[in-house]
């Protein structure tokens, strides 16, 4: 009788659970039994592991073999357990010393020829192993760079099962077949999910990113975009077609600061699980940008799918931008499903297979036309939409959803002077990004030793008691609350925007001008404040 154990990781959303893989050999009729709530793809590992071991010039034990995955109450899915199952079987058969694999975490899929194929979700799996106290992991060679992002963990990347056996048995490592060099590597397919939209959620390279200088005019919209980037405020751009709403939204990631190390790990973990992490780029350093089509379902936005839910657009845009173009054309249920993650920064998806908590702290940008034809606000444009149709169209963006949007800007058509460049070229993204970075640094210094990093995350109670605005600055906002133009949530969001405008201008605290401009950017009612009042002096 032989027994061996090793470890692997089961992923539930973007969180991992360390699973102990146990192999037991007993005399009897040769059979292979796999227990521990495996799904279909994991149950098929019996045939993959057997063929991989035989083709790796190791002997398959002709005994009764039982492989258990513990804890048995946790559902296990995917082919990432293959490598751990093979190691446990070889340890039970005494081909390798069982003691050498007892404290190892092995992640990877096996091909029938013994090659180790990459799998999705390596980063969150290794993070879970490190949190559980494991310090040695074995992963496919193609994902070794992703696993190495976790500090304090020794990573061994292997290409074949023969290599792993040689390393564990202290034997000479076999050389790779030279005929394989230069050939297309089919193993990279394990990192990508068909139909997931390769590249969805990834911001363009800075060298290829569109520049804000391309946007003609639109001073109010540019200021709102700058404030949104500096404070993490949600933004609604309303206006006729061709005014530049999509152009502005596409350039928002170009003025956002680079992700911190912790934020990069969070974003990379989500993209790795979703299967859209590009090979060769293990760490996402730029804020993601996700722009789903208006026909997207509620499940594609918040997460869903068969079995355990998969990350949706709100999670793919975590720490980045979620742009909903033609927002009124989205399903009402899909839009209203965004209300909870907008407040909490995460989404909890419950399905029959389990409950998954996914990160979803994103900056939302909505773009909307004034009516179905888009010409309602244009003089002499010939809008023929009846008033009832216009009201129904605008009501598709519900009041509770809009109440969570800090900045609402009317984007007017571009004038001839601005379009032909007579008004001067707008600021490039680099200049705006520098101001945004300085404003975020001021906010971070003020919010040091607190759970918050940007102004949009600070609760209203703290802004009203701990960080007060200048005396008398809130008079206009308080009048709007009394007249019903602002809700309590709206007043809190006006305060947050006012602090962001003060940070952009380099002021210690917001004054009456900052609050008035914040009110104008939220309500659309002119307050007699120049648009440049929130810009840096």
């Amino acid at each position: 009788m032989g027994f061996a154990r090793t470890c692997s990781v089961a992923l539930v959303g973007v969180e991992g659970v360390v699973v102990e893989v146990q192999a037991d050999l007993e005399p009897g009729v040769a059979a292979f039994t796999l227990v521990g709530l495996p799904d279909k793809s994991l149950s098929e590992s019996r045939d993959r592991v057997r063929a991989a071991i035989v083709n790796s010039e190791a002997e398959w034990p002709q005994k009764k073999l039982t492989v258990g995955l513990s804890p048995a109450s946790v559902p296990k899915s995917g082919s990432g357990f293959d490598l751990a199952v093979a190691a446990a079987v070889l340890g039970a058969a005494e081909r390798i010393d069982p003691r050498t694999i007892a404290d190892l975490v092995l992640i990877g899929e096996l091909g029938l020829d013994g090659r180790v194929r990459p799998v999705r979700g390596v980063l969150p799996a290794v993070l879970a192993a490190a949190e559980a106290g494991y310090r040695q992991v074995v992963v496919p060679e193609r994902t070794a760079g992703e696993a190495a992002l976790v500090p304090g963990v020794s990573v061994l990347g292997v290409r074949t099962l023969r290599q792993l056996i040689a390393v564990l048995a202290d034997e000479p490592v076999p050389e790779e077949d030279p005929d394989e060099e230069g050939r297309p590597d089919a193993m990279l397919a394990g990192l990508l999910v068909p139909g997931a939209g390769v590249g969805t959620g990834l911001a363009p390279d800075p060298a290829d990113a569109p520049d804000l200088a391309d946007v003609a005019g639109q001073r109010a919209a540019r200021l709102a975009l700058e404030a949104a980037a500096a404070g993490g405020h949600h933004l609604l751009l309303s206006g006729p077609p061709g005014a530049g709403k999509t152009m502005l939204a596409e350039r928002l990631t170009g003025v956002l600061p680079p992700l911190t190390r912790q934020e990069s790990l969070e974003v990379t973990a989500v993209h790795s699980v979703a299967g859209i992490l590009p090979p060769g780029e293990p760490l996402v350093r730029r804020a993601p940008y996700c722009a789903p089509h208006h026909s997207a379902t509620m499940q594609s936005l918040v997460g869903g799918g068969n079995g355990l839910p998969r990350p949706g657009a709100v999670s793919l845009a975590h720490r980045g931008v979620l742009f909903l173009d033609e927002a009124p054309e989205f399903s009402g249920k899909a839009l209203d499903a965004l209300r909870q993650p907008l407040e909490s920064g995460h989404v909890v998806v419950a399905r029959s297979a389990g409950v998954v908590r996914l990160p979803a702290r994103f900056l939302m940008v909505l773009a909307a036309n004034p009516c179905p034809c888009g010409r309602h606000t244009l003089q002499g444009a010939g809008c023929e939409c009846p008033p009832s149709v216009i009201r129904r169209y605008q009501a598709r963006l519900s009041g509770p959803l809009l109440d969570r949007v800090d900045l609402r800007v009317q984007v007017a058509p571009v004038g001839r002077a601005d379009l032909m460049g007579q008004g001067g070229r707008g600021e490039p993204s680099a200049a705006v990004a520098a101001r945004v970075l300085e404003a975020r640094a001021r906010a971070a210094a003020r919010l040091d030793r607190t759970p918050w990093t940007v102004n949009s995350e600070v609760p209203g109670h703290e802004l009203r008691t701990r960080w007060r605005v200048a005396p008398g600055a809130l008079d206009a906002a308080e009048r709007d609350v009394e007249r019903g133009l602002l809700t309590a949530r709206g007043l809190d969001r006006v305060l947050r925007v006012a602090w962001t405008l003060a940070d952009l201008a380099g002021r210690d605290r917001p004054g009456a001008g900052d609050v008035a401009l914040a009110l104008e950017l939220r309500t659309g009612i002119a307050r007699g404040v120049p648009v440049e009042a929130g810009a840096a002096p």
Side-chain angles (χ1 to χ4, degrees):
M1 183 178 72
F3 177 83
R5 64 180 179 86
T6 187
C7 294
S8 190
V9 179
L11 287 177
V12 182
V14 294
E15 299 177 354
V17 179
V18 176
V19 173
E20 189 175 70
V21 181
Q22 304 170 342
D24 178 69
L25 283 175
E26 296 180 356
V29 179
F32 189 173
T33 304
L34 183 64
V35 297
L37 284 184
D39 71 344
K40 180 66 175 177
S41 61
L42 182 51
S43 297
E44 293 175 350
S45 68
R46 293 175 295 187
D47 299 317
R48 292 193 300 268
V49 170
R50 181 188 294 110
I53 289 179
V54 172
N55 290 324
S56 298
E57 300 178 359
E59 184 179 353
W60 179 260
Q62 297 300 319
K63 296 182 180 180
K64 181 181 179 181
L65 172 61
T66 303
V67 174
L69 308 175
S70 179
S73 59
V74 176
K76 295 123 190 129
S77 61
S79 57
F81 292 88
D82 288 2
L83 198 58
V85 172
V89 171
L90 292 171
E94 298 183 352
R95 175 62 179 85
I96 57 179
D97 189 349
R99 293 174 297 181
T100 62
I101 61 173
D103 295 325
L104 275 183
V105 174
L106 298 102
I107 304 166
E109 176 186 336
L110 285 175
L112 300 184
D113 57 356
R115 288 187 299 172
V116 182
R117 302 177 63 93
V119 294
R120 295 176 286 109
V122 167
L123 177 59
V126 177
L127 283 170
E131 291 176 359
Y134 292 88
R135 292 294 174 261
Q136 292 181 312
V137 297
V138 179
V139 298
E141 187 180 59
R142 289 289 185 178
T143 57
E146 183 180 341
L149 297 174
V150 182
V153 175
S154 175
V155 178
L156 173 62
V158 294
R159 191 172 183 84
T160 64
L161 182 59
R162 290 177 60 196
Q163 289 182 348
L164 178 62
I165 295 173
V167 171
L168 296 178
D170 198 16
E171 299 173 353
V173 179
E175 296 182 0
E176 292 294 327
D177 186 354
D179 295 337
E180 295 291 331
E181 297 181 1
R183 298 177 60 182
D185 193 352
M187 293 195 298
L188 292 177
L191 296 175
L192 304 175
V193 178
V198 179
T200 301
L202 293 177
D205 188 88
D208 303 326
D211 198 289
L212 256 177
D214 300 334
V215 180
Q218 306 298 0
R219 294 184 180 180
R222 290 173 64 99
L223 172 62
L225 198 77
E226 184 175 341
H233 305 288
H234 305 304
L235 173 63
L236 169 63
L237 300 172
S238 302
K245 302 185 295 294
T246 302
M247 285 186 67
L248 286 162
E250 290 175 344
R251 285 151 178 79
L252 180 54
T253 55
V255 300
L256 287 174
L259 299 177
T260 64
R261 175 74 176 184
Q262 180 60 35
E263 291 172 345
S264 294
L265 290 176
E266 294 174 6
V267 174
T268 303
V270 174
H271 285 65
S272 177
V273 170
I276 60 173
L277 192 64
E281 295 185 19
L283 187 64
V284 178
R285 294 182 173 87
R286 301 184 301 276
Y289 175 83
C290 191
H293 190 260
H294 60 74
S295 61
T297 63
M298 181 176 66
Q299 289 77 11
S300 67
L301 283 181
V302 301
N306 297 327
L308 287 176
R310 295 173 49 79
V314 296
S315 297
L316 297 180
H318 180 60
R319 301 295 182 185
V321 177
L322 176 66
F323 176 46
L324 303 183
D325 201 3
E326 305 293 345
E329 300 295 340
F330 279 79
S331 162
K333 291 184 177 179
L335 290 174
D336 286 339
L338 301 177
R339 286 151 55 175
Q340 184 238 349
L342 284 174
E343 288 288 332
S344 62
H346 64 268
V347 58
V348 178
V349 184
R351 296 290 185 270
S352 59
V355 179
V356 173
R357 184 181 187 273
L358 299 168
R361 188 166 294 282
F362 55 90
L363 196 166
M364 182 179 68
V365 180
L366 303 173
N369 294 327
C371 67
C373 75
R375 301 190 296 269
H376 174 59
T377 57
L378 299 178
Q379 295 182 355
C383 174
E384 299 179 355
C385 299
S388 59
V389 173
I390 296 175
R391 284 195 301 270
R392 283 197 300 269
Y393 183 80
Q394 295 177 350
R396 293 180 182 178
L397 299 179
S398 66
L401 176 65
L402 290 179
D403 201 36
R404 291 166 167 84
V405 178
D406 302 353
L407 306 167
R408 309 174 193 174
V409 180
Q410 292 292 330
V411 183
V414 182
R416 181 183 61 84
D418 289 328
L419 190 61
M420 303 307 296
Q422 298 175 9
R425 186 175 173 85
E427 280 187 302
S429 295
V432 178
R435 284 202 303 273
V436 168
L437 191 61
E438 293 177 1
R440 287 216 175 188
R442 293 189 186 97
R446 182 173 63 253
L447 301 175
D448 190 25
R449 303 180 184 277
T450 70
W452 317 294
T453 55
V454 292
N455 291 323
S456 62
E457 300 173 0
V458 183
H461 173 74
E462 298 289 336
L463 293 176
R464 292 191 298 270
T465 58
R466 186 173 178 180
W467 293 292
R468 295 179 177 273
V469 300
L474 282 178
D475 291 347
E478 292 172 355
R479 287 194 296 269
D480 283 0
V481 172
E482 293 176 353
R483 289 185 292 178
L485 297 177
L486 273 183
T487 63
R489 181 192 290 121
L491 178 61
D492 292 344
R493 294 183 177 274
V494 166
L495 280 173
R496 296 170 183 172
V497 175
W499 272 104
T500 298
L501 295 173
D503 288 335
L504 285 169
R507 289 187 278 271
D508 293 335
R509 59 177 177 173
D514 296 311
V515 175
L517 183 55
L519 281 169
E520 182 173 338
L521 291 174
R522 179 174 178 84
T523 63
I525 301 175
R527 309 285 170 157
V529 181
V531 168
E532 293 81 5

